[in-house]
Amino acid sequence: EELETFRKMGVYHKVPITECLQSTGKQPIGVKWVDVNKGDWSNPEYRSRLVAKEIKRDSRDDLFAATPPLEAKKIFFSLAVTEGIGYKRDKQSGMKLDFIDVRRAYFYAKARRDVFIKLPDEDYEEGMCGKLDLSMYGTRDAAQNWEEEYSGFLTSIGFRRGKASPCVFFHKDKSLTLVV
C-alpha cells in the first residue's frame, strides 16, 4: 500500500546512481520500513511507512519548521465554550471546532533540494536510485518543506499568518482561524 502511494503521488523517480554521486558527492540515503500499530494489542492495525535515514551530520541552522504552541489549541477550546464568544444560547451560531489530519502530509510538499534515496527492495533496480520530487519522512527538511507548502497555499487564498506564532492563520472575510 505504501509503495502504491509513492507511485501514485510521484514521490520519486528513478535515476542512475552516478547522477546522485555527481550531484551530491555521496551515496544515496538509505531507507527503512517503520511498522506502527495504530490499534491496540487485542485489535492490532499495523501500518508500514517507508522512511529515509538522513542523519544529522552537520550543524545547519537553516532547517527549522514551526510547531504550534499548546496554548493555541487551549485558547480555541476556551473561546468555544465562553458564552458570548464561542458559545451562543440559540445554537444556530457560535464557534465550531474541527480537527483535520492530512494523511501523508509530507508527500504534498515539493522537494526543494536534490535528495537521492536508495530504492527499497520491492522497487530495486540495479544501478538506480530514487530522486525525490516530493518530501519524504526521514529527510531533514521535510517538515520545513511542508510548512512552506501549506503556508503558501493558505496565504494565496486570503489567510494572514500570525505574528506570535507562524502556525496560526486568520482569514478576515471568513472570520476563520486555523492552527496548523
Side-chain angles (χ1 to χ4, degrees):
E1 182 182 332
E2 178 80 346
L3 284 181
E4 184 55 36
T5 300
F6 266 68
R7 288 183 192 101
K8 186 171 75 175
M9 295 189 76
V11 176
Y12 66 82
H13 65 278
K14 292 180 182 180
V15 297
I17 291 176
T18 54
E19 183 178 328
C20 169
L21 294 171
Q22 289 172 345
S23 177
T24 67
K26 301 174 185 171
Q27 289 291 322
I29 298 166
V31 295
K32 72 176 184 173
W33 287 101
V34 176
D35 298 324
V36 176
N37 181 2
K38 293 284 192 171
D40 55 32
W41 292 112
S42 57
N43 297 305
E45 184 185 337
Y46 286 99
R47 294 196 187 154
S48 297
R49 296 287 180 251
L50 185 65
V51 300
K53 298 191 298 185
E54 188 172 26
I55 299 165
K56 180 180 177 179
R57 293 201 171 115
D58 56 33
S59 58
R60 291 177 57 184
D61 292 334
D62 61 332
L63 294 176
F64 172 79
T67 56
L70 179 59
E71 289 78 8
K73 204 185 281 187
K74 285 180 175 181
I75 193 104
F76 277 147
F77 287 128
S78 179
L79 290 171
V81 298
T82 301
E83 189 168 2
I85 298 174
Y87 169 72
K88 310 280 182 170
R89 287 190 187 271
D90 66 12
K91 297 183 184 180
Q92 295 301 316
S93 60
M95 181 183 266
K96 294 175 178 63
L97 298 177
D98 198 358
F99 294 88
I100 301 169
D101 180 32
V102 177
R103 190 169 187 217
R104 294 181 174 104
Y106 291 172
F107 292 176
Y108 291 96
K110 295 174 196 73
R112 290 176 165 79
R113 63 185 173 101
D114 288 344
V115 179
F116 298 86
I117 59 166
K118 291 182 180 176
L119 297 172
D121 293 341
E122 299 83 355
D123 198 24
Y124 181 77
E125 194 174 321
E126 184 68 37
M128 302 295 277
C129 66
K131 182 176 182 183
L132 295 184
D133 296 311
L134 302 174
S135 295
M136 183 176 171
Y137 291 90
T139 57
R140 293 194 53 212
D141 57 352
Q144 183 180 60
N145 292 347
W146 170 235
E147 180 181 350
E148 287 182 33
E149 193 70 31
Y150 73 72
S151 297
F153 172 73
L154 290 172
T155 55
S156 77
I157 60 171
F159 280 87
R160 278 188 338 200
R161 200 167 192 175
K163 292 179 182 172
S165 172
C167 299
V168 178
F169 295 82
F170 181 71
H171 196 293
K172 185 177 181 179
D173 297 339
K174 298 184 186 294
S175 190
L176 257 172
T177 304
L178 301 176
V179 175
V180 181

